[in-house]
Amino acid sequence: MALLRPSALVRRAADGAVHVAAAGAGLAAGSAVLTAGLVVESTRAGARAARAAAATTVAAAAKSAELAKDVGVGSVRIAGTLVPGSDRVADGSMGRLAGVARGMFEPPQARHSRRVWAAGGRTHVELAAPTLEGGPEVEQALRRHLERLEGVEWAAVNNVVGRVPVAFDDKRISVEDLVGVVTRIERARGGRQVFPQRDEHPADLEPLLAAVVTAAVDTAATGMAYGGKALAVPALTRHATLVLALLDSQQWIRQGLTDRIGPIGTDLVFTGMSALLHALTQSPVIPALNAAAAVQRAAEMDARREVWRRREPELCRPAPQDASPEPMPAPGERPVPLRPGPIERYRSRLGPTSLAGAGALLALTRQPARSADLLKCLTPKAAVQGREAFATVLDLLMCRRGVLPMDGSAYRRLDRVDVVVLDSDALCTGPPVVLRVATEAEGRDEAALWPAATRLVGECGAEDEGCCGGTDGLRLGPAEESPDAPGGRTHGLFDGAERVGSVVVAAELDPHAEALLVAVGEAGHHLVLTDHVGTREIAGVADEVAAAGEPLLDTVRRLQAGGAGVLAVSAADGRALMAADVAVAPVRVGSAPAWGADLVTGRGLVDAFRIVAATAPARAVSRQSVSTALTGNVLGSLLAAVGDPRRGQRKATTPGKTATALTMAVGTWTALRTGARPPPAPAVHTQWR
């Protein structure tokens, strides 16, 4: 598909001016219907009028969305080559990029566009839902078919993320060939090409393109608004933007549209409507703020793709021969919904309050314009954008540090964390060390056996059997599990054939384990530690030590059932990580990452420390954003209700705009300070003996 030149895009946009005007008229009519409903009828009739206005809005938005989609696809093709990393599409063609753009408007329950990533002779191909539900036999058959192809080095099936990683020689076989083989196998088994509803993968191109288009559209709207003022072009009535406040506060409208065109398509339609109306009403501040947020979002999405490209060879490797073919079972539903945070509570209360307040003001003043201005200033935008700015910048900074966000929305849930669960096994990352020596023969001194046991463990490892020592004849027996040493190993210590003692061995604590525990306490969270012999020297810091026989998944679910938002840190327990509200997985040398995690960190616990420490400023930003937004809402409401019609009432939305700019600035600055926090000092864990 040919690449449209910028001049062609401009002509296409100009050709749509008639549609723009029609959409604006439709939106203004929708606002009038809402106002009439508030004047004439009761509350129930007003609700019917609101739905009628929403229907008019959606109809007008559909025409605008059609135009935005056509122009947006062309804009994306240009922007996709300008943003660093965004041109890394599966086959390098613009046709593929246009297909990705069309896929952004598909409903989540019936998405037919396959997502593919490829770079440097490696690709990840998304699997259709029926294939993932087919069980290990289907997955093994798919892997065998791919590995038989000439030029394919290896293939695997990652059923947790729903993709097939393939390493291949791009000179002998193309990505299109591999995708074609996967498609034929899926169709041969009677599966429909419908892809599962999953969180955004860090390699997905769609979120980046959506952010680029949003930034371009809002920037253009800002320029058009200023241009209209400079050229003295008659502006559309300011009440035309009333529908935006209605849509922003009534979540059922957004949800209905999401079910039809997907979340990305819905955001783009709302963006197009907002940009269109603010351009026609010559209100440049809101699109300017939206453009700034979109630029941040685009940088975040590009950073996700870059960290994926950098870490993918390290994390994605052929499955071991002894790997279990059985897929990881799902952890089940959360016992109770995640408790709403400050912004969720504020937003849920603002929706019905705004409509009730507008109705009451209309009854008191008999002035529909004041009710319309009141609705426009009562939006949660300032609160939402504050948290969004913090999460976006923090995600960007953590990506640059190598943290891979398998579900970047986890950064948006940091303000709702109450409890931190640490898998003690993830805290023990060092070499095996001797924790305890007990004598079992007369005449043997523990102090004398300890150095010999330490030397044997250092030379032979914790799990070697029958490893002989030096001239003293001491050796370690085979490793045994003991209920008194959960997470560790017990070895018999032999002098020839005589057992003279026992040795408890476990991996040494990570140098930053104590700092991680301290960070949990400083953030004000309840700390739960799993029972492990290697962490008993620091377990006193924890508020709770889980029972030795309780699986980590059960611990997470038990805390969630009590109403807590749970952040879990584990290197291997995929089911518990999938169940947690925020899941952090440090990577271990030689082991596959826990793909059920939201955030896959590097080796060690420094990144986990940073994420846990970020929960406190995340909560503070959300609370401050709500407070700032509430101040803007109150001041705007006063201007709308009693302000001078020519000066005060017309400026009713100014406090809200100022509050939005302030919360975005505070969220960005707080994230920069949080990301720049120096790593904690390591602690040396050396046995005194």
Side-chain angles (χ1 to χ4, degrees):
M1 189 173 292
L3 178 65
L4 294 178
R5 292 176 297 178
S7 58
L9 289 174
V10 173
R11 288 195 300 271
R12 183 66 180 275
D15 185 56
V18 175
H19 300 301
V20 169
L27 293 170
S31 304
V33 171
L34 173 59
T35 305
L38 290 172
V39 174
V40 178
E41 302 190 32
S42 62
T43 304
R44 182 176 301 176
R48 288 200 302 270
R51 284 177 168 79
T56 306
T57 299
V58 173
K63 195 65 180 178
S64 302
E66 182 179 354
L67 173 66
K69 182 177 177 182
D70 292 339
V71 179
V73 168
S75 303
V76 162
R77 296 177 196 150
I78 292 177
T81 61
L82 298 179
V83 179
S86 65
D87 59 340
R88 302 186 189 104
V89 293
D91 54 10
S93 68
M94 288 302 150
R96 174 68 186 170
L97 197 59
V100 169
R102 286 191 297 270
M104 295 190 297
F105 290 87
E106 291 183 321
Q109 296 85 358
R111 183 168 59 86
H112 299 281
S113 297
R114 189 190 302 274
R115 295 176 179 176
V116 181
W117 174 87
R122 302 170 73 93
T123 186
H124 288 246
V125 182
E126 188 178 24
L127 291 176
T131 303
L132 292 171
E133 297 166 359
E137 297 81 8
V138 176
E139 295 175 3
Q140 291 177 11
L142 176 60
R143 181 171 57 84
R144 286 195 301 268
H145 276 85
L146 289 171
E147 290 181 339
R148 288 172 186 164
L149 297 175
E150 183 178 357
V152 173
E153 299 175 13
W154 59 265
V157 177
N158 189 333
N159 51 56
V160 178
V161 299
R163 310 217 171 184
V164 180
V166 183
F168 64 100
D169 184 352
D170 54 8
K171 296 180 180 179
R172 301 166 63 189
I173 189 171
S174 68
V175 176
E176 284 185 335
D177 294 333
L178 295 171
V179 174
V181 170
V182 173
T183 301
R184 287 194 296 272
I185 293 173
E186 290 176 340
R187 289 178 176 172
R189 295 183 174 273
R192 296 189 306 122
Q193 296 298 108
V194 177
F195 296 92
Q197 301 181 51
R198 291 183 178 273
D199 298 316
E200 296 174 353
H201 192 280
D204 287 345
L205 190 59
E206 289 82 355
L208 174 60
L209 298 188
V212 171
V213 171
T214 299
V217 169
D218 281 318
T219 301
T222 303
M224 290 176 64
Y226 279 119
K229 286 186 174 182
L231 298 175
V233 176
L236 192 66
T237 173
R238 71 179 190 276
H239 298 305
T241 58
L242 170 62
V243 68
L244 299 176
L246 176 65
L247 293 176
D248 201 28
S249 61
Q250 306 303 315
Q251 288 298 300
W252 61 271
I253 301 177
R254 174 181 285 270
Q255 186 59 47
L257 197 57
T258 299
D259 294 339
R260 291 179 176 272
I261 61 174
I264 296 180
T266 300
D267 288 340
L268 289 177
V269 167
F270 277 39
T271 296
M273 292 175 58
S274 175
L276 167 68
L277 290 176
H278 285 101
L280 294 177
T281 57
Q282 297 178 6
S283 305
V285 177
I286 291 298
L289 292 173
N290 291 342
V295 169
Q296 285 186 333
R297 178 75 171 166
E300 177 191 17
M301 296 299 103
D302 187 59
R304 289 185 186 180
R305 286 173 55 80
E306 176 59 25
V307 71
W308 168 262
R309 184 193 63 79
R310 192 169 69 246
R311 295 196 64 187
E312 188 272 341
E314 164 205 351
L315 301 177
C316 302
R317 298 179 179 179
Q321 295 295 331
D322 57 349
S324 173
E326 294 295 328
M328 182 187 302
E333 296 293 328
R334 202 180 192 279
V336 295
L338 177 61
R339 187 164 52 193
I343 293 176
E344 286 74 23
R345 289 194 297 269
Y346 176 69
R347 193 167 192 168
S348 65
R349 295 168 183 169
L350 190 61
T353 301
S354 60
L355 288 177
L361 182 61
L362 181 63
L364 291 174
T365 63
R366 303 294 182 179
Q367 298 181 32
R370 290 191 179 275
S371 295
D373 287 328
L374 181 66
L375 283 174
K376 287 167 56 181
C377 69
L378 290 178
T379 71
K381 186 178 183 67
V384 174
Q385 289 298 333
R387 180 175 65 181
E388 187 66 20
F390 174 84
T392 298
V393 176
L394 182 62
D395 188 5
L396 171 63
L397 297 177
M398 296 304 290
C399 284
R400 291 179 177 176
R401 294 184 181 276
V403 176
L404 178 64
M406 297 305 298
D407 179 10
S409 65
Y411 290 107
R412 280 80 178 166
R413 295 190 294 273
L414 290 179
D415 61 338
R416 302 163 76 178
V417 170
D418 306 301
V419 178
V420 176
V421 178
L422 300 180
D423 185 355
S424 294
D425 188 60
L427 305 183
C428 301
T429 62
V433 294
V434 176
L435 299 180
R436 187 169 64 241
V437 174
T439 60
E440 298 179 4
E442 293 185 3
R444 295 285 184 171
D445 183 24
E446 177 183 324
L449 292 178
W450 198 292
T454 301
R455 176 178 54 80
L456 290 173
V457 169
E459 293 176 354
C460 308
E463 298 185 9
D464 285 0
E465 299 184 7
C467 179
C468 295
T471 56
D472 55 8
L474 293 176
R475 63 181 177 84
L476 289 178
E480 302 172 353
E481 293 187 1
S482 171
D484 296 331
R489 298 280 183 175
T490 300
H491 294 262
L493 187 60
F494 293 85
D495 186 354
E498 180 187 7
R499 182 178 176 119
V500 296
S502 61
V503 179
V504 175
V505 180
E508 187 178 20
L509 276 173
D510 187 273
H512 298 100
E514 289 177 273
L516 178 58
L517 270 64
V518 171
V520 176
E522 290 178 347
H525 302 314
H526 184 80
L527 173 59
V528 179
L529 198 64
T530 61
D531 193 15
H532 193 288
V533 67
T535 59
R536 285 180 176 172
E537 65 176 279
I538 61 173
V541 180
D543 299 295
E544 176 188 345
V545 176
E550 184 178 45
L552 186 60
L553 173 61
D554 293 348
T555 302
V556 171
R557 288 304 194 207
R558 171 172 57 82
L559 295 167
Q560 289 175 335
V566 178
L567 185 153
V569 179
S570 177
D573 199 324
R575 296 187 69 207
L577 291 171
M578 292 171 68
D581 302 302
V582 178
V584 181
V587 171
R588 286 185 171 175
V589 180
S591 300
W595 291 112
D598 300 319
L599 308 172
V600 179
T601 69
R603 300 171 186 173
L605 299 176
V606 173
D607 292 330
F609 163 84
R610 294 183 186 277
I611 294 169
V612 169
T615 57
R619 187 168 57 247
V621 165
S622 292
R623 290 174 176 171
Q624 186 175 359
S625 296
V626 169
S627 176
T628 304
L630 182 60
T631 301
N633 292 154
V634 171
L635 293 177
S637 299
L638 290 175
L639 290 175
V642 298
D644 181 86
R646 293 187 177 183
R647 292 186 296 273
Q649 182 185 343
R650 294 181 64 88
K651 300 294 184 181
T653 58
T654 300
K657 296 173 183 177
T658 305
T660 302
L662 182 60
T663 57
M664 290 176 63
V666 170
T668 300
W669 176 248
T670 305
L672 290 172
R673 292 184 58 190
T674 302
R677 180 173 179 173
V684 179
H685 300 279
T686 303
Q687 296 293 335
W688 64 270
R689 293 178 179 82

